[in-house]
Amino acid sequence: MHAPLSVVPVFRRPASVRRRGIAASIAATLVASLLMLIPTATPASAAPVLLSQGKPVTVSSTENGGTPAAAAVDGDTGTRWSSAAADPQWIQIDLGSSVAVNQVVLRWEAAYARAYKIELSTNGTSWTSAYSTTTGPGGNETLNVSGNARYVKLTGTTRATQYGYSLWEFQVYGESGGPGGPIQGGGDLGPNVKVFDPSTPNIQGTLDTIFRQQESAQFGTGRYQLLFKPGTYNNLNAQLGFYTSISGLGLKPDDTNINGDVTVDAGWFNGNATQNFWRSAENLALNPVSGSNRWAVAQAAPFRRMHIKGGLNLAPASFGWASGGYIADSKIDGQITPYSQQQWYTRDSAIGGWGNGVWNMAFSGVEGAPAQSFPNPPYTTLNNTPTSREKPFLYLDGNTYKVFVPAKRTNARGVSWNGTPQGESLPLDQFYVVKPGATAATINAALAQGLHLLFTPGIYHVDQSINVNRANTVVLGLGYATIIPDNGVTAMKVADVDGVKLAGFLIDAGPVNSPTLLEVGPQNASADHSANPTTVQDVFIRIGGAGPGKATTSMVVNSDDTIIDHTWIWRADHGDGVGWETNRADYGLQVNGDDVLATGLFVEHFNKYDVRWSGERGRTIFFQNEKAYDAPNQAAIQNGSIQGYAGYKVDDSVVTHEGWAMGSYCNYTSDPNIRQEHGFQAPVKPGVKFHNILVVSLGGMGQYNHVINSIGSPTSGTSTIPSNVINFP
């Protein structure tokens, strides 16, 4: 808590119906079975990876503004580059650094080259011939080439038609990266990762020093990861401030026992916990000193894979305002008492009980969860989570660091770590350990080489997109590692491949507008990833707050079957660089992929739609939203004939969609007379369903006319009482 339509391109594609036959079903079952393994080490893949997508490209000419050079490397087979109708013409890709190139794929439109050549260069001036032909067939051509190159150039010398040269895609594949040879994996974790064992002297002093620095540094530059080796620790109270993560280094939470507490409170903010963002706890067992551990957090503060041998208190000591939060894969032996927490989502856990509810408390796959009772008390309870895969985490195997990647679970219930943990274990030497000062070119070279990424705590400016093009790549951040795109680039792009895992980092918009900040799959992605989906977990996005930032659309999900498991996408309502146009960000999340599942979706304060869902068969379990506080007047948010943009909109073309436990709040501080037509907008179709949704006017600062479409009672006055719809339609 914290606190819409000029014409812009909307990332979407026509809904498609998949034909998944018997063979696909058998393959999915086999892959799922293979994932259910005890931890094993797997060698880094040396398979060719796509190097060219999203890279800078230059050309001799373009036919018109609708066929730009960049379209040949955008991963979208529905867009193209085309040249002027003359010979010769060329297109050149800059891969960012010299790499070993071994394959070029040309996807020609009807206007192809009869005669052309492929050349390689490490410096852009001296060229080596890699391939040439005078009998090019057009269509899709796969060419095996060999050489080291930063620049790859195609020159057409004879056209096959009267038109220019036209390519849907110009793709370059290779294996190794870095002008100085292969990039080495592994290494130390840097100065802001603090590693403790039970014999470490003055652990409490170190914890207290970091807390004093980070307690109120809401938009500061400090980033810390606290790691505890397996063992028992006595008389500790790890108070967590901003950008501080604490984790155990065992394979299971009970491997690392703290007789003490991991505490978040709100003394720094006069007992108000609504701004306790950006901190996390993971993979520890706690014996709280008082019998109950205090975790008074707001958004972007996950509590994962924890075992509390007692109770868990989610409110500040003063029982002041609180607006959270998220728990997953955790066992709480005692009762969880949320007290003042307005909303909360708990997934795939085991709890001893739940104390109360304010507006919206959701549970999926939770043993011990209260029974379904929305709206009195406001509990939404699903027996299972349809699909889940827990977040990757760092652990110690003896004295060797590894990253454990848990297996996918279907219809999950309870914690994943009873018995032998199921999944895959990756040695640290398969990771490029990214440290502050690393360039985007080096990061991309490491990815192209086949390495995973482990971002150590710090702030990373990137002048080109980080391109994750290899299936099953893990990108894991420690201590809220923060990526800032410079010059309006997209911070990270993921290809339409299986099983990418993005986890544990923050993307902070730069002052030059980025069209997107995170893209999962290119436009028109269509591959079936149901057996091995991409997951986005504890990946947070911020626009403004730490300084001016702008982005048209923050996160775009184009790949089918993606799982978004806990994100907070936030256009800042306070801090530096905040204003209706200063940190302009029209759209929070745009979903174009089919069969996308969101579990724990927090999206707030965007100038237009906070969430827009265009893909088929989407599902959301728990949604928390606030409309932008700073809309200057009614006209600023007018959406055609509709007053305001919905917090969550399902496109009219969508046939099937479902959501549970979803809330939208308004707090129009600049003009409390603003009216918002509804929090939710969706087509009225049998397959589009919502359960237990609500809207709230915070203290009468603006009002909702309805909950969804024209259904549901209006909010009124200053009572801050939700208007609910139990089922739609």
Side-chain angles (χ1 to χ4, degrees):
M1 174 142 187
H2 340 283
L5 185 60
S6 56
V7 178
V8 297
V10 175
F11 296 93
R12 57 184 300 183
R13 57 183 170 78
S16 61
V17 178
R18 299 212 192 106
R19 296 173 174 83
R20 295 175 175 169
I22 295 174
S25 177
I26 293 172
T29 302
L30 177 60
V31 171
S33 299
L34 290 173
L35 284 172
M36 303 298 286
L37 302 172
I38 61 173
T40 57
T42 305
S45 170
V49 293
L50 180 60
L51 305 174
S52 52
Q53 189 164 306
K55 294 299 175 62
V57 59
T58 53
V59 293
S60 54
S61 66
T62 54
E63 181 183 5
N64 56 56
T67 59
V73 294
D74 63 1
D76 184 351
T77 56
T79 63
R80 64 188 176 94
W81 162 71
S82 61
S83 74
D87 293 319
Q89 300 291 336
W90 54 265
I91 177 170
Q92 176 180 311
I93 300 170
D94 179 358
L95 300 176
S97 62
S98 291
V99 295
V101 173
N102 54 30
Q103 191 178 86
V104 170
V105 176
L106 305 176
R107 302 185 186 279
W108 295 103
E109 196 247 354
Y112 67 98
R114 180 73 67 193
Y116 65 89
K117 59 183 178 180
I118 303 288
E119 296 174 290
L120 309 178
S121 174
T122 58
N123 56 19
T125 56
S126 301
W127 295 90
T128 300
S129 177
Y131 178 86
S132 65
T133 184
T134 58
T135 57
N140 294 338
E141 297 185 60
T142 299
L143 312 173
N144 293 321
V145 300
S146 180
N148 291 321
R150 172 174 175 172
Y151 303 93
V152 181
K153 184 176 184 179
L154 180 152
T155 303
T157 53
T158 304
R159 289 167 290 141
T161 71
Q162 63 181 333
Y163 304 104
Y165 299 92
S166 182
L167 281 165
W168 296 113
E169 285 294 299
F170 179 12
Q171 296 174 315
V172 179
Y173 291 81
E175 294 180 354
S176 63
I183 293 172
Q184 296 301 309
D188 71 88
L189 300 176
N192 283 7
V193 175
K194 307 298 182 183
V195 182
F196 306 100
D197 65 45
S199 65
T200 302
N202 195 25
I203 297 175
Q204 188 65 56
T206 301
L207 298 176
D208 291 346
T209 297
I210 293 172
F211 176 66
R212 284 193 296 269
Q213 176 183 318
Q214 299 300 114
E215 180 183 12
S216 59
Q218 183 172 178
F219 299 109
T221 58
R223 302 286 188 274
Y224 290 93
Q225 178 75 49
L226 311 176
L227 297 176
F228 285 76
K229 293 182 180 181
T232 298
Y233 300 79
N234 295 314
N235 304 314
L236 291 182
N237 181 17
Q239 299 182 82
L240 300 187
F242 287 97
Y243 314 109
T244 305
S245 297
I246 187 170
S247 305
L249 284 170
L251 193 57
K252 295 183 178 183
D254 289 334
D255 293 340
T256 310
N257 286 274
I258 294 179
N259 293 316
D261 297 80
V262 172
T263 302
V264 178
D265 206 344
W268 75 277
F269 200 44
N270 299 316
N272 180 344
T274 61
Q275 292 183 21
N276 280 351
F277 316 136
W278 304 307
R279 62 202 77 194
S280 67
E282 185 173 352
N283 203 32
L284 293 165
L286 302 180
N287 281 298
V289 170
S290 67
S292 186
N293 188 77
R294 187 178 303 281
W295 186 255
V297 298
Q299 285 75 14
F303 197 79
R304 288 185 181 268
R305 204 178 181 87
M306 296 287 287
H307 183 192
I308 307 302
K309 299 174 181 178
L312 186 63
N313 185 334
L314 303 179
S318 63
F319 297 97
W321 291 346
S323 179
Y326 177 90
I327 294 170
D329 201 27
S330 293
K331 187 175 188 294
I332 315 300
D333 294 347
Q335 179 165 274
I336 298 177
T337 47
Y339 295 113
S340 55
Q341 283 287 355
Q342 295 163 350
Q343 69 282 311
W344 199 278
Y345 174 54
T346 306
R347 178 182 64 71
D348 298 355
S349 295
I351 64 176
W354 188 269
N356 69 290
V358 177
W359 294 337
N360 184 22
M361 303 292 169
F363 311 83
S364 68
V366 177
E367 297 170 351
Q372 168 71 38
S373 59
F374 188 91
N376 294 307
Y379 300 153
T380 299
T381 302
L382 282 68
N383 194 54
N384 305 89
T385 304
T387 308
S388 60
R389 181 169 59 209
E390 299 306 329
K391 176 187 169 187
F393 60 93
L394 191 68
Y395 79 104
L396 276 173
D397 183 0
N399 293 318
T400 303
Y401 283 110
K402 295 182 178 179
V403 171
F404 189 73
V405 183
K408 187 185 80 169
R409 304 170 76 196
T410 302
N411 293 322
R413 181 173 175 82
V415 300
S416 71
W417 38 272
N418 281 336
T420 302
Q422 302 297 297
E424 181 183 22
S425 188
L426 303 173
L428 192 63
D429 63 11
Q430 293 184 17
F431 286 76
Y432 173 44
V433 179
V434 192
K435 296 174 184 173
T439 65
T442 302
I443 293 168
N444 280 327
L447 287 167
Q449 184 177 311
L451 293 171
H452 306 279
L453 299 180
L454 181 70
F455 280 90
T456 64
I459 296 175
Y460 300 85
H461 285 265
V462 295
D463 58 0
Q464 59 181 264
S465 299
I466 296 171
N467 293 302
V468 183
N469 295 324
R470 180 172 54 90
N472 300 310
T473 300
V474 176
V475 180
L476 178 61
L478 301 178
Y480 286 81
T482 302
I483 302 169
I484 302 176
D486 293 333
N487 303 319
V489 303
T490 297
M492 186 175 294
K493 295 182 179 182
V494 179
D496 193 23
V497 295
D498 274 357
V500 171
K501 293 92 179 172
L502 308 180
F505 55 90
L506 170 65
I507 297 176
D508 203 354
V512 178
N513 185 75
S514 294
T516 57
L517 294 172
L518 173 63
E519 293 182 17
V520 180
Q523 293 184 48
N524 299 313
S526 59
D528 178 356
H529 306 296
S530 57
N532 187 12
T534 285
T535 47
V536 182
Q537 300 177 286
D538 300 347
V539 173
F540 308 117
I541 293 179
R542 180 173 69 196
I543 302 95
K550 293 185 178 182
T552 303
T553 305
S554 294
M555 183 188 298
V556 180
V557 176
N558 293 314
S559 286
D560 294 346
D561 306 294
T562 300
I563 299 172
I564 307 168
D565 177 43
H566 190 225
T567 186
W568 184 39
I569 306 173
W570 185 58
R571 176 181 168 265
D573 63 273
H574 63 271
D576 293 332
V578 171
W580 185 248
E581 296 296 341
T582 304
N583 63 329
R584 182 86 193 186
D586 283 352
Y587 309 105
L589 171 66
Q590 172 70 46
V591 178
N592 300 312
D594 294 338
D595 300 287
V596 172
L597 170 65
T599 52
L601 182 59
F602 300 75
V603 188
E604 298 189 300
H605 306 156
F606 286 84
N607 296 72
K608 295 183 179 178
Y609 293 118
D610 297 276
V611 173
R612 184 169 182 178
W613 209 294
S614 305
E616 281 292 346
R617 298 178 297 280
R619 292 172 294 178
T620 295
I621 303 173
F622 183 87
F623 172 65
Q624 188 264 332
N625 165 252
E626 286 182 351
K627 297 304 300 174
Y629 288 5
D630 57 343
N633 50 50
Q634 188 76 51
I637 62 164
Q638 192 67 20
N639 181 12
S641 62
I642 299 173
Q643 291 181 307
Y645 291 79
Y648 189 106
K649 173 182 169 60
V650 179
D651 277 2
D652 290 344
S653 61
V654 172
V655 175
T656 304
H657 188 90
E658 195 159 11
W660 296 262
M662 306 174 71
S664 178
Y665 318 149
C666 72
N667 185 34
Y668 287 117
T669 55
S670 294
D671 182 356
N673 295 312
I674 290 175
R675 298 200 70 87
Q676 177 81 25
E677 177 62 17
H678 42 230
F680 303 87
Q681 183 180 355
V684 182
K685 298 177 182 178
V688 178
K689 303 175 183 179
F690 288 86
H691 314 280
N692 306 340
I693 61 175
L694 64 143
V695 296
V696 182
S697 168
L698 301 179
M701 303 300 285
Q703 303 291 341
Y704 289 92
N705 296 333
H706 303 285
V707 180
I708 181 167
N709 298 350
S710 58
I711 298 170
S713 301
T715 57
S716 61
T718 60
S719 58
T720 315
I721 295 175
S723 294
N724 303 304
V725 167
I726 296 175
N727 285 298
F728 169 89

